[in-house]
Every structure is written in structure tokens, then in C-alpha cells.
Amino acid sequence: MGTDSVKNNAYINNFLFILFLYFFIHLLIRVFISPNVGLDEAEQILLTQSFAWGYNSQPPLYTWIQYVYFELFGTNIFALSLLKNTLLFLTYIFVYKSAKLATKDSTLALIATASLILLPQISWESQRALTHSVLLTSISSMIIYVVFKIKYAVEKIHIGYYFLLGLLISIGMLTKYSFSIFIFAVLIASLLDAKLRSVILKKELLITLSIISVLLAPHVLWFIDNLTVVTSSTIGKLSPNKETFSFVIGIVDLFKAILAFLAPLLIVSILIFRRSLTNSGNTFLFHFFIIVLITLILFTIITGSTNFKDRWMQPYFFLMVIYIASKINVENLKQMHIALYFKIVYLFMFLIISVLIVRVYFPDMTKRNSRLNYPFYTLSQQIKDLGFDQGFIIAGNKSIAGNMKLNFLDSTVSATHFEKDIDNSKNILIIWEKKFPAQAEKYKHLIKEQKIIQSKYLFSERNDYKLNIAIVQNENKGY
């Protein structure tokens, strides 16, 4: 077929612009579909109540950026969705730019970019939930672009690249601790490449290391002081098992997670491009994947981890879209196959938007209420009618807490794992789910009288959502 020959297919050549519209539609849907926030969104609303060098088991950068967005646009769903969709769009853009450098072909670069839609953790789960992983994937795509720029397009490396790498690596480490595996694999893969190795072994690398040291120092000090906070949740998620040969279970689960992450992409790509996948593929990425895999296997053996989620594979294996594109021999590539591939991608895009809408607007059909169906806005109005419009709020869980903060912006909100000392507010609202009385156990000494408020789930006629509340006077201010 030859390179760059998809001339008359507007829906392919204009894919990047269509992507922009696609994410703009996601932004509009999220803003108008529900006044509620999901779990990860609720967490960001709670954490941004104050600035800190660290907050919980995740590094603080996403929260810092979200804080800036709230300052610019207000604490609202628009600011939450704008940040996420901006990061997702940037991921696609830098994958395109990286793929174009690696393949030297704009059509293959568009194929690689479109392929991200076939990774459910990026196209679906990143819209439905996730925060830190979205930022990490975006940062990882930028780093790969810089690496490929050095490898394929720059003859003489100037000092600015060392500054840029130091900044990006610092940003990555402040996004998720698992970024250390990514950057380790990038480093080793670079050492295996002659040109990249010459860049790394120069004395200018000290500039990169100095920038990393300066930018990470405040959080590292916080990390040391809060080691238990950071590690307790992470260890629980990994489900470590110290029994003999338990690592076998972990390794099997690891491969299952990788396969689950890549399955739709591999199936569609192989079915459509199987006769064109004759190139050897990008050597750097091949080495990168092998190093990541070895590192994860060693991590499993050492820690005894037996539980891996497919979403944890996102910051490493999303680059498979570039690797697959690099294996495509454009001389064997038929235009009808390209057109079919993009039609499938557009079908996925349509289905994703449709399901996002259906799951909220038709919960009775699916017989399942999402977090966006909870009637927090209506319940908040009931609370205001009962006399509480501002003060200190103690919520039974993260979901309630985040949504209460969204509806009582002038109040300080505390919840389990997001505790704050009761301030000098005149009124205190204690709110918890009726079916989980233990959520209010810690504060039962403050509760003299409680009420039950309830409302139908949004767009549902099946059930009522009920909350217990107690509004008390803060007689001991500064308690």
C-alpha cells in the first residue's frame, strides 16, 4: 500500500480532531448526567480541602493539580472532569507523536492512537473511575515521546533534555509509586540502545538527578514520617501470601491481569492485521516489556503478592499499541483493513458513551444503581431544611463525605481515612448510612437525637436511599 496513503478517508485522517470532540462529549456527559461524584472523585474533593506534601497511600500530585483546577473553575464536577479528560487526550496525543517517530508513518501512528480505545482500562475504566493511573499514563506517554525524540529525531542532545527528563521523572514519582517500575524499565531498555546509552552515560545526567532530588525531597520526608499510612493500604491490595510456592498463584494472576488488559486489542489487531504483522517490531519497546515483566515476576516472588488488577497494568502495557503498529509492514497493509479497524474503534467509542449514559439514566433496566444515581443533592436539600447549611460534617464513608462537601462547599468534611479535627463551627452534622451504624460509632457520644432522611435513587423507582443524620451544637468548640 505504501506509507501515508490513507488520503480520502476523512474519518481516519481527522481522527485526532474527532478524539478532541469525543473527550469534549465525555466532559459534557459527566457534567450534565448527574450532580453526584463517584468514589475517586469524592476522594479528590476531600483531599483538596487542604494542601499537604502527602495524603494517603498514593503520592499527592494528582490532588495538587486538582486543587489548582478547583481554584480556577470552582469545586465542581466540571473541574473534576476537565482535568481527567485533558489528561486522557494528552495521552492519545503523545502516543500519536511517539508512534510517528517509531514508525515514521502517520497512518501507523493513527492506528496506534486509535488502538488505545481497544484497551478497556483506558477507554472505559478511566472515564468511570481512576485518577492517579490516568495521570501516570499521561506522564508515561510524555516520557516515551522524549525518549523516542532523542532516539529517532535528535542528532545532538542539548542540556534542555536533561532538565525535561528530570522534571518528568519527578512528576511521575509524585503521581504513583509504581512509576518506579516504569522508569526502571525505561532506563535498562535505554542502556541496551547505543544512542540512548550514550545520552545516559554523560555527566549532564547529574542535572537530571539533581532536579529529581530537589523536587522529590519534601514528599520523601513526608513519606518517611508516614510510612505506615503509605504501605498499609498497598499491602492489603496485594494480598501477600507467605506460604511455600504461593508466588506461583501470584505469577498466574499477574499474567491473567496482563491478558485481561490487552485482550481486546490483541484480538482485533491480530484478526485484521495478521497478514501485515511481519516487521520485527520496535526493539526498545520489546526490551521495555521484557524488563517490566521480569521486574513484576521478581516483585511477586519477593513479596508473595497473589492479587493483581488489570488496571495496574495500564502505565506499562498501554505502549503495546505502539509496538503493534511498529510490527505492521505498510507494504502489506490494505486500505480496507485500515478502514475496518477504524470502524471497530468508532463502534467501541459509541458503545462506551452509550453505556455511560444508560447505566445512569436506566438503573431499573440494569437493576443496579451506580454512585451517580445516589440522591445526595435531594438529601442535602432536606438537611438544609432541617437547619444545617454550614459547619463541620462527619460522614460515615468517603462517598457520603465527598458528596456532602460538594453540596456544602463552606463546610469542612471529615470521614474514615480522611479524618479532620472538629473545628470551631457552631453546628456539626453527623451523617451515616442506616444499614451501617458502625460508621457513627466513634461519635455516638455527641448524638442526642437522630433523624432518617430518604429519597428515591436518581432515575429510579425501585428503592429509597436512606441516611441517618444528627445535627448537634458544638458546645465544646475546638474539641
Side-chain angles (χ1 to χ4, degrees):
M1 187 193 79
T3 62
D4 298 322
S5 60
V6 186
K7 302 296 184 184
N8 301 315
N9 290 295
Y11 70 92
I12 296 177
N13 291 323
N14 296 321
F15 182 70
L16 295 180
F17 177 70
I18 293 171
L19 265 181
F20 174 80
L21 296 178
Y22 174 72
F23 286 116
F24 182 70
I25 291 170
H26 271 290
L27 173 62
L28 293 178
I29 290 173
R30 183 62 195 91
V31 169
F32 292 107
I33 200 169
S34 171
N36 299 338
V37 291
L39 283 177
D40 290 328
E41 294 169 326
E43 178 177 272
Q44 291 307 309
I45 287 179
L46 292 174
L47 293 178
T48 51
Q49 291 182 104
S50 60
F51 175 84
W53 292 114
Y55 296 94
N56 51 25
S57 61
Q58 300 285 5
L61 185 60
Y62 194 98
T63 301
W64 292 347
I65 300 174
Q66 189 66 74
Y67 180 88
V68 173
Y69 270 64
F70 283 158
E71 288 294 307
L72 292 173
F73 305 107
T75 303
N76 52 47
I77 291 171
F78 174 79
L80 287 162
S81 186
L82 180 63
L83 172 56
K84 176 178 287 189
N85 281 286
T86 299
L87 292 172
L88 287 170
F89 183 61
L90 286 174
T91 299
Y92 283 73
I93 293 299
F94 280 99
V95 163
Y96 171 79
K97 293 169 74 70
S98 300
K100 193 170 182 180
L101 287 170
T103 64
K104 297 178 174 58
D105 187 280
S106 59
T107 299
L108 293 181
L110 286 172
I111 289 173
T113 310
S115 297
L116 289 170
I117 295 290
L118 302 179
L119 297 174
Q121 289 300 327
I122 292 179
S123 58
W124 166 257
E125 194 67 14
S126 291
Q127 288 288 353
R128 190 194 67 83
L130 302 185
T131 49
H132 303 279
S133 293
V134 173
L135 176 57
L136 181 57
T137 306
S138 186
I139 296 301
S140 299
S141 69
M142 295 177 192
I143 289 177
I144 290 299
Y145 170 69
V146 173
V147 171
F148 280 9
K149 184 82 171 177
I150 294 171
K151 177 175 171 59
Y152 296 111
V154 177
E155 292 186 7
K156 185 177 181 180
I157 308 300
H158 58 76
I159 198 169
Y161 281 98
Y162 291 94
F163 279 99
L164 181 58
L165 285 171
L167 177 62
L168 290 175
I169 292 170
S170 299
I171 290 173
M173 289 304 301
L174 288 170
T175 301
K176 276 184 83 73
Y177 299 121
S178 58
F179 175 76
S180 56
I181 297 176
F182 174 89
I183 202 61
F184 173 75
V186 168
L187 174 62
I188 301 304
S190 298
L191 289 173
L192 295 174
D193 180 274
K195 184 176 182 181
L196 294 175
R197 182 169 62 249
S198 67
V199 173
I200 292 174
L201 298 180
K202 286 185 177 180
K203 65 179 183 299
E204 284 84 356
L205 184 65
L206 292 173
I207 296 173
T208 301
L209 297 176
S210 298
I211 292 173
I212 294 171
S213 300
V214 171
L215 294 181
L216 293 186
H219 179 67
V220 169
L221 293 175
W222 178 92
F223 181 96
I224 294 171
D225 288 339
N226 297 271
L227 192 58
T228 302
V229 173
V230 174
T231 58
S232 58
S233 174
T234 303
I235 292 173
K237 290 178 182 178
L238 292 172
S239 303
N241 187 331
K242 297 302 181 182
E243 294 182 9
T244 306
F245 299 118
S246 63
F247 67 87
V248 176
I249 299 173
I251 292 174
V252 170
D253 203 61
L254 170 63
F255 277 92
K256 286 169 59 178
I258 295 172
L259 183 60
F261 179 79
L262 293 173
L265 169 66
L266 295 178
I267 291 171
V268 176
S269 298
I270 292 172
L271 284 176
I272 294 179
F273 299 131
R274 61 187 181 278
R275 294 180 181 176
S276 303
L277 296 171
T278 57
N279 287 345
S280 58
N282 186 274
T283 304
F284 175 90
L285 288 178
F286 178 78
H287 290 156
F288 171 84
F289 293 135
I290 295 298
I291 295 160
V292 167
L293 193 58
I294 292 173
T295 304
L296 290 173
I297 290 173
L298 290 175
F299 176 83
T300 303
I301 295 172
I302 293 170
T303 64
S305 303
T306 58
N307 181 37
F308 287 91
K309 304 294 185 184
D310 49 349
R311 66 176 180 270
W312 298 349
M313 303 300 113
Q314 179 171 317
Y316 316 123
F317 291 98
F318 80 99
L319 294 171
M320 186 62 72
V321 299
I322 301 177
Y323 183 73
I324 290 175
S326 72
K327 285 189 67 64
I328 296 175
N329 186 336
V330 293
E331 299 301 331
N332 299 331
L333 193 58
K334 297 184 181 298
Q335 189 161 327
M336 61 178 291
H337 291 156
I338 300 174
L340 177 60
Y341 194 76
F342 274 84
K343 288 177 182 178
I344 292 174
V345 167
Y346 282 122
L347 175 62
F348 268 70
M349 293 166 72
F350 173 77
L351 290 175
I352 289 164
I353 289 176
S354 299
V355 173
L356 283 171
I357 295 173
V358 169
R359 66 191 284 266
V360 176
Y361 279 142
F362 301 99
D364 292 348
M365 182 177 71
T366 60
K367 296 182 180 180
R368 182 178 181 181
N369 293 307
S370 74
R371 294 283 176 183
L372 302 187
N373 289 111
Y374 283 47
F376 285 116
Y377 176 78
T378 303
L379 296 177
S380 296
Q381 297 306 307
Q382 294 180 25
I383 293 171
K384 291 177 182 178
D385 291 340
L386 291 171
F388 181 91
D389 57 7
Q390 180 180 344
F392 189 86
I393 301 175
I394 300 169
N397 60 43
K398 179 170 66 175
S399 177
I400 297 173
N403 281 283
M404 287 299 104
K405 178 63 181 178
L406 192 63
N407 286 283
F408 296 92
L409 291 175
D410 294 326
S411 298
T412 300
V413 183
S414 178
T416 304
H417 304 305
F418 302 88
E419 288 88 353
K420 288 185 172 293
D421 293 332
I422 296 176
D423 60 21
N424 292 323
S425 299
K426 180 180 178 181
N427 295 321
I428 300 173
L429 170 67
I430 304 173
I431 181 167
W432 69 99
E433 291 184 334
K434 184 176 183 294
K435 59 184 178 180
F436 297 117
Q439 292 178 344
E441 186 68 23
K442 182 178 178 181
Y443 300 98
K444 66 180 181 180
H445 62 285
L446 298 175
I447 301 173
K448 297 177 181 178
E449 180 184 359
Q450 59 181 273
K451 299 180 184 296
I452 296 176
I453 57 174
Q454 63 186 55
S455 179
K456 293 286 186 187
Y457 287 90
L458 296 181
F459 313 113
S460 174
E461 295 297 328
R462 290 192 303 122
N463 299 309
D464 280 359
Y465 179 61
K466 299 179 180 180
L467 289 173
N468 278 36
I469 69 166
I471 301 174
V472 300
Q473 297 295 311
N474 188 5
E475 297 175 355
N476 300 314
K477 290 185 179 181
Y479 171 86

